[in-house]
């Protein structure tokens, strides 16, 4: 399998983002978005996915966190799509259950080439410090739409908002780690012979 490291740069009037992502890493990261709780979620994703990542994002945080969070999601999607190429030799599917104290999170991923996002989290959008956790759903939506994959996330049960979102990102990371991993069978994992 070829080296799967991608660099993405995005600059708009609302944000400026530089992302270096190695799918075949060890979980090393250097993440700076100006949004501490968002940083924490992305660090969990890297650590539990064993992805190496350097991310620097500057956005109009004086207006809202929305633009930065969304644009980082778009960059993640672009990076994943480019790193996977034609997806030859990948496992394609991954799933994980992650307990986080009183919370149980579930994630299933299919790197199908078709974007579809299912998000079953009963907790309403809440603020953790100053961060609106509803933006995490928006980040994931942007990631899926540009990465062209299926993502199903569900909280089976849980109470503490921090545990809920931490469980989701850990489950997502572990499911993605399996999906992007090498399959000993090789080839493109589809009867169609292509994943687009």
């Amino acid at each position: 399998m070829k080296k799967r490291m991608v660099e993405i740069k995005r600059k708009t009037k609302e944000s400026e983002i530089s992302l270096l992502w190695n799918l075949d890493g060890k979980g090393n990261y250097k993440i700076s978005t100006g949004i501490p709780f968002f940083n924490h979620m992305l660090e969990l994703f890297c650590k539990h996915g064993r992805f190496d990542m350097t991310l620097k994002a500057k956005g109009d945080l004086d207006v809202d966190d929305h633009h930065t969070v969304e644009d980082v999601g778009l960059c993640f999607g672009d990076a994943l799509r480019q790193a996977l190429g034609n997806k030859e030799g990948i496992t394609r599917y991954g799933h994980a259950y992650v307990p986080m104290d009183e919370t149980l999170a579930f994630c299933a991923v299919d790197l199908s080439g078709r974007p579809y996002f299912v998000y079953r989290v009963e907790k309403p959008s809440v603020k953790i410090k100053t961060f609106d956790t509803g933006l995490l759903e928006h980040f994931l939506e942007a990631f899926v739409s540009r990465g062209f994959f299926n993502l199903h996330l569900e909280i089976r049960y849980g109470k503490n908002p921090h545990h809920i979102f931490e469980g989701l990102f850990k489950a997502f990371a572990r499911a993605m780690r399996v999906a992007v991993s090498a399959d000993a069978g090789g080839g493109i994992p589809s009867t169609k012979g292509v994943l687009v």
Side-chain angles (χ1 to χ4, degrees):
M1 195 174 280
K2 69 178 180 68
K3 191 174 182 181
R4 300 182 303 170
M5 184 184 297
V6 173
E7 185 171 17
I8 299 290
K9 292 188 182 292
R10 176 183 171 88
K11 186 172 183 178
T12 71
K13 291 180 179 179
E14 298 169 340
S15 71
E16 184 173 353
I17 297 165
S18 172
L19 170 65
L20 181 64
W21 185 358
N22 178 6
L23 291 182
D24 305 303
K26 296 182 178 177
N28 299 316
Y29 53 82
K30 187 174 181 182
I31 292 175
S32 174
T33 66
I35 309 168
F37 190 75
F38 187 43
N39 290 350
H40 180 45
M41 294 298 104
L42 300 181
E43 290 163 0
L44 292 170
F45 181 73
C46 292
K47 186 67 175 178
H48 290 272
R50 294 189 60 77
F51 304 128
D52 289 349
M53 183 179 292
T54 302
L55 170 66
K56 187 171 185 181
K58 291 181 182 176
D60 54 357
L61 302 183
D62 55 321
V63 174
D64 197 333
D65 295 343
H66 177 97
H67 298 138
T68 301
V69 170
E70 178 181 43
D71 288 357
V72 168
L74 295 173
C75 289
F76 270 48
D78 289 344
L80 179 68
R81 197 176 67 252
Q82 288 181 34
L84 290 175
N86 71 355
K87 301 176 187 160
E88 185 173 355
I90 65 166
T91 299
R92 177 179 168 177
Y93 296 100
H95 69 275
Y97 280 97
V98 168
M100 180 69 199
D101 296 348
E102 85 298 341
T103 296
L104 182 63
F106 172 73
C107 178
V109 170
D110 175 11
L111 301 175
S112 61
R114 297 181 307 278
Y116 202 89
F117 180 44
V118 176
Y119 188 74
R120 292 186 176 169
V121 180
E122 287 186 18
K123 272 280 181 199
S125 177
V126 296
K127 287 205 172 186
I128 295 180
K129 290 221 169 184
T130 60
F131 183 70
D132 176 3
T133 57
L135 291 175
L136 294 175
E137 180 179 4
H138 195 53
F139 161 77
L140 294 163
E141 218 168 29
F143 189 176
V144 166
S145 71
R146 286 291 265 270
F148 293 96
F149 64 98
N150 276 210
L151 174 62
H152 295 246
L153 282 166
E154 182 179 13
I155 291 296
R156 293 295 171 92
Y157 44 82
K159 293 179 181 177
N160 182 291
H162 191 130
H163 295 168
I164 285 170
F165 295 109
E166 187 161 329
L168 283 176
F169 271 76
K170 286 178 176 177
F172 179 28
R174 289 182 170 269
M176 185 64 83
R177 175 177 166 183
V178 173
V180 302
S181 67
D183 184 342
I188 293 174
S190 172
T191 54
K192 291 185 286 192
V194 65
L195 285 172
V196 287

